[in-house]
Amino acid sequence: MCKVILYIAMSLDGYIADRDGGVAWLAGDGSDCGHPGSYPDFIQTVDTVVLGYRTYHQIISELSPENWVYRGLKSYVFTHRKLLSTEEILFTGRSPADLVAELKNSSSGIWVCGGSDIANQLLEAGLIDELFISVIPTILGGGIRLFTAERSMGLMLLSVLHYNGIVEMRYLLKETPDTV
């Protein structure tokens, strides 16, 4: 079976978006702007992207309105809106846990791209195998918090990469997530 990986960035104080839902703060400190981080290698390991409608809408309206940034990957967008799917972008009202459990049997790698609600549902269901968390050198003081889990989950650090003021940590979710 494939791995389900949460690959996401957050502020130093744990937010994935500011109070207005914005992500303009997603940049390093300018000390090493040319460093690509782990993204170029990571994106080669997945064939499926799952994301919520707010993340999807932000991508198509603000971040990359001209081109779908995940071209070549099957993208599932969780929404209750009735939108027309394409060959690469499928809109679904299914439960994230049900769909991801099913996709694990047919995908080579699944990227949980966002947002917080989707990530937390999948964490609670025990469906996320690894976490790539990039900590951006910014304190937002409020916004959309990344983790809202109601139980403790043990993690094992696999690697750390730092560049441009960003600290990127890769964790494996332990087999017994209730023990720390």
Side-chain angles (χ1 to χ4, degrees):
M1 267 204 273
C2 76
K3 285 187 180 178
V4 178
I5 302 168
L6 174 62
Y7 187 99
I8 201 162
M10 69 178 189
S11 64
L12 184 61
D13 53 347
Y15 297 98
I16 61 169
D18 63 25
R19 286 181 174 95
D20 298 322
V23 293
W25 53 272
L26 282 175
D29 64 9
S31 63
D32 187 10
C33 295
H35 197 291
S38 66
Y39 183 80
D41 291 333
F42 165 75
I43 197 68
Q44 299 301 315
T45 68
V46 298
D47 63 357
T48 305
V49 179
V50 296
L51 60 157
Y53 180 80
R54 283 184 294 191
T55 302
Y56 166 78
H57 187 262
Q58 192 166 53
I59 291 168
I60 65 164
S61 64
E62 296 173 42
L63 303 175
S64 182
E66 301 299 320
N67 298 307
W68 180 239
V69 292
Y70 307 126
R71 179 161 279 132
L73 304 175
K74 189 71 78 171
S75 299
Y76 292 87
V77 179
F78 296 102
T79 183
H80 296 292
R81 292 170 175 84
K82 301 295 181 204
L83 300 170
L84 188 61
S85 294
T86 67
E87 190 174 315
E88 287 187 324
I89 305 169
L90 296 108
F91 298 98
T92 179
R94 290 184 64 186
S95 149
D98 289 346
L99 180 62
V100 169
E102 182 181 304
L103 290 172
K104 284 187 81 152
N105 295 317
S106 60
S107 296
S108 62
I110 300 171
W111 173 15
V112 180
C113 177
S116 173
D117 187 46
I118 304 299
N120 282 287
Q121 286 181 53
L122 296 174
L123 276 169
E124 290 290 334
L127 288 167
I128 293 183
D129 302 302
E130 287 185 24
L131 297 91
F132 277 77
I133 309 294
S134 294
V135 178
I136 308 300
T138 300
I139 296 174
L140 294 176
I144 300 172
R145 186 162 291 286
L146 174 53
F147 296 114
T148 60
E150 306 242 342
R151 62 187 175 99
S152 64
M153 297 180 193
L155 303 172
M156 181 172 63
L157 182 65
L158 297 176
S159 64
V160 177
L161 177 65
H162 63 89
Y163 56 93
N164 199 27
I166 297 169
V167 178
E168 186 178 282
M169 299 163 290
R170 181 177 169 215
Y171 291 99
L172 181 66
L173 207 62
K174 287 185 177 179
E175 291 295 319
T176 53
D178 286 318
T179 60
V180 182

